[in-house]
Amino acid sequence: MIISTKGFLLNYLKYNDNSLIIELYTHARGKESFIISVKKFPRNYFKILSSYDLEIIIRENRNIQKIKSLSLLYNYDFYFNTIKSCIIIFLADFLIKILPKNQPDDNLYY
């Protein structure tokens, strides 16, 4: 099943030379983990709490889903300020801990 939704990046982890495992909070599915190839995107494309418009391929029997397409909606420029970047990293870690997995919530997303 293919779903088109919006989401923001909570965390990413380098999987191998060509892949990333990213954790997004999506409007349609809640907090979900995805695998994506980094050959298609520049290095600075994945910044914490950036907003994305994406199409995801859902398979219910898997823990890590695949992303069909990904486009950047908004990228923040606060990474040059160390105080703001520390606050953003803290907020992202806090959101990872408190957001429920696979439970979408319209009030929480907006």
Side-chain angles (χ1 to χ4, degrees):
M1 172 172 53
I2 297 176
I3 298 174
S4 182
T5 185
K6 293 180 182 178
F8 58 89
L9 181 69
L10 295 174
N11 195 9
Y12 64 91
L13 177 69
K14 190 173 180 178
Y15 180 61
N16 58 20
D17 290 340
N18 299 326
S19 298
L20 283 177
I21 294 177
I22 60 176
E23 192 165 10
L24 295 168
Y25 187 75
T26 61
H27 182 255
R29 299 274 299 180
K31 187 169 70 169
E32 190 85 38
S33 297
F34 301 95
I35 190 163
I36 191 163
S37 175
V38 293
K39 290 180 181 179
K40 302 176 187 176
F41 305 104
R43 216 69 168 131
N44 60 355
Y45 202 73
F46 299 102
K47 290 186 179 176
I48 294 178
L49 295 184
S50 295
S51 298
Y52 298 96
D53 188 21
L54 52 133
E55 289 184 5
I56 53 178
I57 302 169
I58 300 296
R59 295 192 178 136
E60 296 297 333
N61 57 352
R62 293 189 180 178
N63 291 336
I64 298 178
Q65 309 298 334
K66 288 188 178 181
I67 293 181
K68 184 177 179 183
S69 68
L70 181 76
S71 61
L72 187 64
L73 290 177
Y74 192 75
N75 194 1
Y76 300 101
D77 291 334
F78 48 71
Y79 286 96
F80 298 111
N81 187 342
T82 56
I83 295 172
K84 289 181 182 179
S85 66
C86 289
I87 292 170
I88 292 300
I89 291 170
F90 170 76
L91 284 175
D93 286 339
F94 182 71
L95 287 173
I96 289 169
K97 301 244 188 270
I98 66 165
L99 289 174
K101 192 160 181 87
N102 298 336
Q103 292 179 1
D105 187 4
D106 287 339
N107 295 331
L108 189 61
Y109 185 80
Y110 292 113

